[in-house]
Amino acid sequence: MDKKLFEVAKKYRENSFSPFSRFKVGAALLTEDGKIFGGCNIENSSYGLTICAERVAIFKAVSEGYKNFKRLLVLTDTEELTPPCGACRQVIWDMCGDIEIVLMNLKGKDKSFKMKELLPYPFDKNFL
Ligand code: THU
């Protein structure tokens, strides 16, 4: 298990603003050169404006100028591990490509996927 990514995701998960779902999510994104960006889900009273933890971490990293990524960890407190939603899969593919996605719970149970497995036959810039 990736202890460092787990610790970052755990810390950020505590910052989750999720009064509507009460479903706290943390994410940690590892750049190619070893930097880690954390994120948490931030909900909104106009539900559709809610943003997932994964996208917060990615947008933070991209806004800081990072372009190359290695791994993204998604952390929840559920027995069944939480996979990224469809919208996040599209964003992860566009910004990170075929990186490793690690799903984990607070007990350290984990399962890894390549992004291509989670989003086969993706739409992207090559179609434009
Ligand atoms: N959520 C995430 O942050 N990431 C996921 O992978 C799944 C869902 C958030 C969005 C919303 O705040 C809450 O979890 C329930 O859907």
Side-chain angles (χ1 to χ4, degrees):
M1 85 118 105
D2 197 321
K3 188 86 178 136
K4 195 78 212 291
L5 284 185
F6 173 74
E7 290 301 337
V8 171
K10 193 172 161 198
K11 181 177 139 218
Y12 277 84
R13 185 180 164 276
E14 291 304 314
N15 298 333
S16 166
F17 180 76
S18 43
F20 308 110
S21 72
R22 308 210 170 276
F23 193 72
K24 290 172 180 267
V25 186
L29 177 66
L30 178 65
T31 70
E32 199 64 70
D33 57 0
K35 198 168 158 54
I36 300 175
F37 288 89
C40 63
N41 55 328
I42 303 172
E43 299 187 343
N44 190 272
S45 56
S46 177
Y47 296 167
L49 296 181
T50 291
I51 183 165
C52 296
E54 297 91 319
R55 274 177 286 153
V56 170
I58 291 170
F59 293 159
K60 281 173 63 184
V62 171
S63 72
E64 295 293 327
Y66 289 84
K67 292 184 166 60
N68 300 306
F69 306 103
K70 248 176 145 161
R71 187 175 302 127
L72 174 67
L73 186 144
V74 184
L75 183 71
T76 52
D77 185 22
T78 55
E79 194 45 45
E80 173 137 21
L81 302 172
T82 304
C85 77
C88 285
R89 291 180 200 209
Q90 182 66 43
V91 170
I92 297 166
W93 178 257
D94 267 16
M95 307 313 304
C96 310
D98 197 21
I99 59 167
E100 184 187 6
I101 307 295
V102 183
L103 313 181
M104 199 177 276
N105 70 13
L106 285 181
K107 290 192 254 174
K109 176 180 169 186
D110 66 347
K111 188 165 169 53
S112 295
F113 298 86
K114 287 303 289 288
M115 198 47 221
K116 254 288 173 60
E117 295 178 76
L118 298 180
L119 191 66
Y121 194 39
F123 176 77
D124 59 25
K125 63 180 187 308
N126 297 317
F127 291 89
L128 298 174

